């Protein structure tokens, strides 16, 4: 078999296999999906920042539009990582990298003579409020407020804007994905170092990094913290294998549209999560982290404490009702499978 470089692919005649275009495929979810798409019979094309490493780049909308025209499936994971400090510059880059790229894809789909049958756009279950009282589903969940929620809401607003009559659209409200990604790696590192106890909310200096953004910024301008949860904050998660399986399920079930929660029904809490991680890495000691210590550590790592201090209680109502069966619902089994 002759192998062609990315730069040469545009001159290679396409086979009769359906085309799947993946934007932002360089992350760990995208990398896992590309292999799965090939297994499902798709011929894959990618859109990204680096022209030489992708079939089209964001700097060449004409080439990008040609790539999308005639494709069967479009998946968008584009967006600057939120694994950073929310400085003014990073905040704006996080917003622009989601809103502007989604807008470019919408223009390409709208202009296509043969638009994609299905468009899956990445999203986040962080769109829901800090929830300790009840789970949040697509039908009755309460949207939260502040920077992360405004980004999530603006992303979905841009995605669902306008009419695309020939393209089914679904927004993937993903919980924290456990796999070879930043979220699990940071928490697992804490467990290995013996500081993998629960993280406790508490007093800290107020700041403005979590203030709202976009045309309708929400929430207080100065963030002071959540009420004490004593390590019992809900932690919604999903195994990377189930993310890929859910994407395939949505692909093959034409009735699934709109926002869809991709989150294991086996919701845990912060204390049980950290216990599972310690057992997975065989570390018997787990020193708890009060907020002041957590904030210092996150500042050193250039991360935000929101990752572990927000209570995320999300259930996959739409997928479950449609008959999707999550394989990974036990946090201890999931942690062992990924960390050993």
């Amino acid at each position: 078999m002759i192998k062609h470089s990315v730069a040469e692919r545009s001159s290679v005649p396409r086979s009769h296999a359906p085309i799947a275009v993946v934007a932002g495929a360089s992350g760990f979810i995208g990398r896992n999906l590309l292999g799965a798409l090939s297994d499902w019979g798709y011929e894959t094309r990618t859109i990204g920042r680096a022209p030489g490493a992708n079939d089209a780049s964001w700097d060449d909308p004409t080439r990008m539009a040609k790539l999308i025209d005639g494709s069967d499936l479009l998946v968008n994971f584009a967006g600057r990582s939120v694994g950073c400090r929310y400085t003014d510059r990073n905040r704006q880059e996080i917003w622009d990298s989601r809103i502007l790229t989604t807008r470019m894809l919408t223009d390409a789909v709208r202009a296509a003579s043969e638009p994609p049958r299905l468009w899956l756009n990445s999203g986040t279950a962080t769109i829901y409020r800090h929830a300790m009282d009840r789970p949040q589903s697509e039908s009755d969940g309460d949207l939260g407020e502040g920077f992360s929620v405004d980004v999530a809401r603006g992303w979905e607003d841009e995605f669902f804007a306008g009419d695309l009559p020939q393209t089914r659209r679904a927004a993937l409200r993903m919980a924290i994905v456990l796999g070879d990604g930043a979220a699990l790696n940071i928490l697992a590192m804490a467990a290995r170092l013996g500081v993998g106890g629960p993280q406790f909310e508490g007093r800290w200096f107020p700041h403005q990094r979590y203030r709202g953004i976009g045309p309708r910024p929400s929430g207080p301008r100065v963030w002071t913290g959540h009420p004490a949860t004593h390590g019992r904050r809900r932690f919604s998660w999903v195994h990377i294998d189930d993310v890929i399986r859910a994407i395939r399920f949505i692909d093959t079930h034409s009735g699934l549209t709109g926002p869809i929660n991709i989150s294991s029904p086996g919701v845990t809490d912060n204390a049980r999560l950290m216990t599972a991680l310690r057992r997975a890495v065989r570390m018997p000691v787990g020193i708890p982290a009060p907020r002041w210590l957590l904030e210092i550590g996150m500042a050193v790592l250039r991360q935000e404490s929101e990752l572990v201090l927000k209570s995320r209680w999300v259930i996959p109502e739409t997928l479950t009702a449609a008959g999707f069966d999550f394989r990974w619902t036990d946090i201890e089994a999931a942690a062992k499978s990924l960390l050993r």
Side-chain angles (χ1 to χ4, degrees):
M1 178 181 293
I2 298 175
K3 294 185 178 181
H4 299 271
S5 68
V6 171
E8 295 173 315
R9 287 181 196 167
S10 60
S11 63
V12 178
R14 289 179 175 177
S15 69
H16 294 293
I19 304 296
V21 177
V22 183
S26 60
F28 89 96
I29 301 177
R31 293 194 303 270
N32 279 271
L33 180 61
L34 285 176
L37 287 169
S38 297
D39 293 340
W40 302 337
Y42 282 104
E43 187 174 332
T44 60
R45 298 286 187 268
T46 61
I47 301 171
R49 287 176 294 178
N54 295 279
D55 297 284
S57 73
W58 298 109
D59 294 330
D60 191 347
T62 300
R63 186 179 180 88
M64 184 179 69
K66 289 180 179 179
L67 205 66
I68 290 173
D69 196 350
S71 65
D72 185 68
L73 173 64
L74 172 61
V75 185
N76 178 29
F77 288 125
R80 187 201 193 284
S81 171
V82 296
C84 62
R85 295 294 276 184
Y86 294 165
T87 62
D88 288 350
R89 178 178 178 178
N90 288 345
R91 282 163 46 90
Q92 195 61 50
E93 288 183 356
I94 289 170
W95 173 271
D96 289 345
S97 65
R98 286 159 174 76
I99 307 305
L100 299 184
T101 53
T102 301
R103 187 174 302 165
M104 292 175 68
L105 293 174
T106 298
D107 291 342
V109 172
R110 186 170 289 125
S113 59
E114 295 180 62
R117 166 186 57 86
L118 172 62
W119 179 3
L120 303 178
N121 211 64
S122 183
T124 173
T126 299
I127 198 170
Y128 298 109
R129 64 175 171 87
H130 176 88
M132 291 290 293
D133 55 337
R134 66 176 181 86
Q136 308 293 298
S137 70
E138 298 94 334
S139 63
D140 67 356
D142 302 318
L143 301 190
E145 58 183 18
F147 172 67
S148 295
V149 172
D150 286 351
V151 170
R153 184 190 290 116
W155 204 1
E156 288 192 8
D157 288 347
E158 190 66 43
F159 176 54
F160 289 117
D163 188 26
L164 300 176
Q166 299 182 66
T167 301
R168 175 165 61 100
R169 286 177 285 183
L172 311 178
R173 289 181 176 175
M174 287 185 282
I176 293 178
V177 181
L178 299 186
D180 188 20
L184 180 63
N185 290 339
I186 290 174
L187 294 172
M189 179 174 64
R192 289 190 177 98
L193 294 175
V195 290
Q199 295 87 34
F200 295 119
E201 179 65 278
R203 287 180 169 272
W204 188 247
F205 301 105
H207 61 78
Q208 298 184 27
R209 297 193 305 277
Y210 297 170
R211 68 189 186 280
I213 194 173
R216 300 184 305 277
S218 67
R221 186 167 183 81
V222 178
W223 190 80
T224 57
H226 301 296
T229 52
H230 307 292
R232 295 304 172 187
R233 294 179 306 285
R234 303 295 180 176
F235 183 84
S236 288
W237 58 280
V238 62
H239 194 290
I240 181 62
D241 290 353
D242 278 338
V243 172
I244 303 303
R245 292 180 58 249
I247 289 174
R248 181 58 170 168
F249 188 86
I250 297 168
D251 182 15
T252 57
H253 288 71
S254 60
L256 295 176
T257 62
I260 299 176
N261 291 346
I262 301 185
S263 179
S264 171
V267 181
T268 187
D269 61 34
N270 177 254
R272 285 179 289 195
L273 165 70
M274 299 312 298
T275 297
L277 295 178
R278 292 197 306 272
R279 289 175 177 171
V281 300
R282 299 184 176 127
M283 169 55 72
V285 177
I287 301 172
R291 186 180 171 197
W292 66 267
L293 182 58
L294 177 66
E295 291 285 359
I296 293 173
M298 288 297 187
V300 171
L301 295 172
R302 304 307 296 164
Q303 302 287 327
E304 291 289 351
S305 62
E306 182 183 51
L307 172 68
V308 293
L309 291 182
K310 180 174 181 178
S311 182
R312 297 170 172 85
W313 192 354
V314 182
I315 56 173
E317 179 183 73
T318 297
L319 282 177
T320 302
F324 182 74
D325 181 32
F326 284 84
R327 289 179 179 169
W328 297 95
T329 57
D330 179 78
I331 189 62
E332 289 210 17
K336 287 180 182 178
S337 78
L338 292 166
L339 294 178
R340 285 189 181 177

